[in-house]
Amino acid sequence: MALDATTIPDWTLKGELILNCNCTVFCPCVVSLGKHPPTEGYCQAWVGIRIDEGAYGDTDLSGLNVGLIMDIPGNMGRGNWKAAAYIDDRASDAAYEALVAIFSGAARGTTGLFGMLVSEFLGAERAPVSFETEGNARRLMVGKIIQGEIVPVTNASGKETVVSNTDYWMGSDITVATATKGRVRAYGRVWDFDGRSAEICKIDWRGPR
């Protein structure tokens, strides 16, 4: 979806992102900034975004959730991704269009890299997207499409393990986590990533610049 750069409104998203992928240990992409290959040589992942505060021009995005699936054939930085978006079915028509623009990369800014790295945007659709926090566990449910739960990795004293001060595009501080459930059934893909790598990140994204 091409947008005229001169007409893209200012937009912001603040909240939390969770991700579970097929890597057997913590995601190498975070520390290598996409230059090191995933542990399995390719990356398959589901993502959940909880928007605590957000706007796209005059359109309020606060309180909505988004689910994503990503299928990346090798090093993240080399592109050729395939991706799909699931937009909270509580979103207004304007909010839905805004979130599709943001998560397809068309609205530029922080997520503009999707427009460069995603060679095939499989599609976007409305769905019941639930993002819940219970204790230190985060759960994402997108109908029967994504069923995920992740928990932080802690040290002997119970403190969460955090990779700080990175230049990773999602955010500078990434909490290391693991999936207690990670199942995807979408676009012919059947993934089960229970026990695999996961991460938690506070987001503060904006665009179009």
Side-chain angles (χ1 to χ4, degrees), residues 23 43-45 48 53 55 57 79 112 125 147 202 204-205 209:
C23 282
C43 175
Q44 298 169 331
E53 300 175 33
E125 61 185 83
Q147 299 178 355
K202 296 296 182 184
D204 186 358
W205 297 347
R209 291 165 291 280

Side-chain angles (χ1 to χ4, degrees), residues 2-184:
L3 294 178
D4 183 342
T6 63
T7 62
I8 300 172
D10 290 339
W11 62 267
T12 60
L13 294 182
K14 294 183 179 181
E16 188 173 76
L17 177 149
I18 60 175
L19 180 152
N20 170 216
C21 68
N22 64 318
C23 282
T24 54
V25 296
F26 181 63
C27 175
C29 298
V30 172
V31 291
S32 72
L33 303 181
K35 295 178 182 178
H36 192 283
T39 66
E40 305 304 281
Y42 58 92
C43 175
Q44 298 169 331
W46 61 262
V47 182
I49 298 100
R50 186 191 71 229
I51 303 169
D52 298 328
E53 300 175 33
Y56 185 85
D58 294 331
T59 301
D60 185 19
L61 305 176
S62 303
L64 298 176
N65 303 313
V66 176
L68 305 172
I69 63 168
M70 297 180 178
D71 198 345
I72 303 170
N75 291 35
M76 179 177 285
R78 293 179 182 171
N80 203 27
W81 301 12
K82 294 179 175 62
Y86 299 92
I87 309 299
D88 198 320
D89 59 9
R90 298 173 299 145
S92 66
D93 289 345
Y96 173 84
E97 294 298 333
L99 290 169
V100 171
I102 291 170
F103 286 101
S104 68
R108 303 194 177 195
T110 306
T111 55
L113 62 89
F114 290 161
M116 297 181 286
L117 297 176
V118 176
S119 62
E120 185 179 352
F121 188 60
L122 299 170
E125 61 185 83
R126 293 180 181 272
V129 184
S130 171
F131 188 125
E132 299 177 347
T133 300
E134 183 177 349
N136 66 355
R138 276 76 162 177
R139 299 189 188 98
L140 180 75
M141 302 292 289
V142 182
K144 296 181 179 180
I145 299 165
I146 303 173
Q147 299 178 355
E149 178 181 271
I150 69 172
V151 293
V153 172
T154 57
N155 62 19
S157 62
K159 188 174 182 179
E160 295 179 0
T161 302
V162 181
V163 180
S164 299
N165 299 318
T166 76
D167 287 326
Y168 200 48
W169 71 270
M170 294 191 316
S172 62
D173 298 328
I174 309 295
T175 299
V176 180
T178 188
T180 53
K181 178 182 287 187
R183 298 174 188 175
V184 173

